[in-house]
Amino acid sequence: MSGRLLVLDISGSRALLARADGAGGLGEVREVANEAHDAAVYWPAVLAAARELGAGAEAVGVSFGGPVDRAGRVVSVHVPGWAGIDVGAGLAEATGCPVRVENDANCGALGEFHHGGWGELHTLVFMTCSTGIGAGIVSGGQLFRGARGLAGEVGHNTVDPQGALCVCGSIGCLEVQASGTAIARRGGEAGAKAVFDRAAAGDDAARQTLAEVFPDFGRGIAAVQHAYDPDLITIGGGVSLAGRALTEPVATEARHWLMRERRDHLRLESAALGLHSQLHGAAALWRND
Ligand SMILES: [Zn+2]
């Protein structure tokens, strides 16, 4: 399939690229790994792939794994050497197309809202849960950004005042207690998947780790439900691959902390589009154009 859009999902570890038709159709997904962990090598490789795959495209949509300002400029550095790289301008030059850039949590929310097959929704919260935790909120079909474009930092709500020190300077944030990185750390593993796999195999220590993670995660989810009153909260990112082994216990914990009359409102699911929510959202940046 050769859709009219080129879409990219750029994170610190890899970029995914695909053609999209703007109506939910996604072509074959190509990956460019950041093997050198150096933007000076990674970014030209992404541009080269975009130039090749983008031939004949009319527009480019980009999901970027970091803060993006209202003008679509990347405002953070998560890869050595990334500072000063203008993602939008670089891709516009490489492809000859207009480019729209949005952060990955917002793209994930747009992708799940428009192409997740969830049926009629008013408000959806998409939470990325991998290295960190962040959220995108779509309400009435529109992204909710906040006055400075900083809404959705739900990963930095404190869920345990006795918890670990967070990179943001606070203590016991949802992110430092329940992200993929946090689950791996608390379980003494290289990745969260290993903790879930060990727990599924009956390992007591791994089960105990998750029994400590789930209440923290649940308090974070309850705060999100109270704040945004969504029809649906979807969990994306690597941790979401745990599926119901994650969402069911976390929803049970969250209900303990919800206002009694709102407990039935909570609907927590893994992202319908798996690890491609952001690519679909990057295409949705050009909806109605
Ligand atoms: Zn924090």
Side-chain angles (χ1 to χ4, degrees):
M1 187 194 72
S2 181
R4 67 185 185 91
L5 302 172
L6 172 70
V7 291
L8 296 90
D9 171 16
I10 303 172
S11 79
S13 60
R14 55 97 185 107
L16 302 181
L17 300 91
R19 292 294 287 262
D21 62 12
L26 201 64
E28 192 182 332
V29 177
R30 191 184 299 187
E31 178 171 332
V32 176
N34 182 15
E35 283 165 355
H37 299 288
D38 181 353
V41 179
Y42 179 41
W43 182 231
V46 173
L47 287 177
R51 198 174 290 121
E52 190 182 323
L53 197 60
E58 294 168 24
V60 178
V62 183
S63 166
F64 186 82
V68 175
D69 71 13
R70 281 172 165 272
R73 284 185 302 258
V74 169
V75 293
S76 91
V77 179
H78 60 22
V79 179
W82 200 268
I85 291 176
D86 187 328
V87 171
L91 284 166
E93 192 187 331
T95 62
C97 294
V99 180
R100 290 181 181 169
V101 186
E102 185 55 81
N103 87 62
D104 61 338
N106 285 347
C107 280
L110 286 170
E112 288 290 313
F113 186 91
H114 291 294
H115 301 303
W118 296 107
E120 195 69 22
L121 294 173
H122 183 274
T123 299
L124 174 144
V125 177
F126 172 83
M127 291 173 65
T128 58
C129 188
S130 49
T131 311
I133 292 182
I137 303 113
V138 176
S139 190
Q142 300 295 315
L143 280 173
F144 177 84
R145 298 169 189 276
R148 296 163 197 80
L150 303 177
E153 290 289 0
V154 303
H156 298 285
N157 287 335
T158 293
V159 296
D160 179 4
Q162 315 298 324
L165 183 64
C166 184
V167 287
C168 75
S170 188
I171 291 169
C173 296
L174 176 61
E175 174 170 306
V176 77
Q177 297 297 113
S179 65
T181 308
I183 294 169
R185 184 195 74 237
R186 294 175 78 167
E189 289 284 357
K193 184 177 185 300
V195 180
F196 279 97
D197 286 349
R198 269 176 43 214
D203 181 281
D204 284 340
R207 286 185 168 194
Q208 182 57 36
T209 296
L210 293 179
E212 292 167 12
V213 166
F214 292 150
D216 287 348
F217 210 145
R219 281 188 283 273
I221 294 292
V224 170
Q225 185 70 32
H226 281 143
Y228 299 110
D229 183 28
D231 309 283
L232 174 67
I233 299 173
T234 58
I235 307 287
V239 174
S240 71
L241 301 180
R244 291 211 166 96
L246 173 79
T247 54
E248 287 183 357
V250 168
T252 298
E253 294 291 341
R255 288 192 181 94
H256 291 315
W257 302 95
L258 281 171
M259 294 164 72
R260 204 179 307 121
E261 67 273 20
R262 297 193 190 179
R263 284 176 189 159
D264 292 343
H265 297 177
L266 178 66
R267 186 178 173 204
L268 183 69
E269 305 278 359
S270 296
L273 300 168
L275 298 178
H276 293 163
S277 307
Q278 286 90 340
L279 282 175
H280 282 279
L285 296 174
W286 289 96
R287 271 177 77 83
N288 304 323
D289 284 282

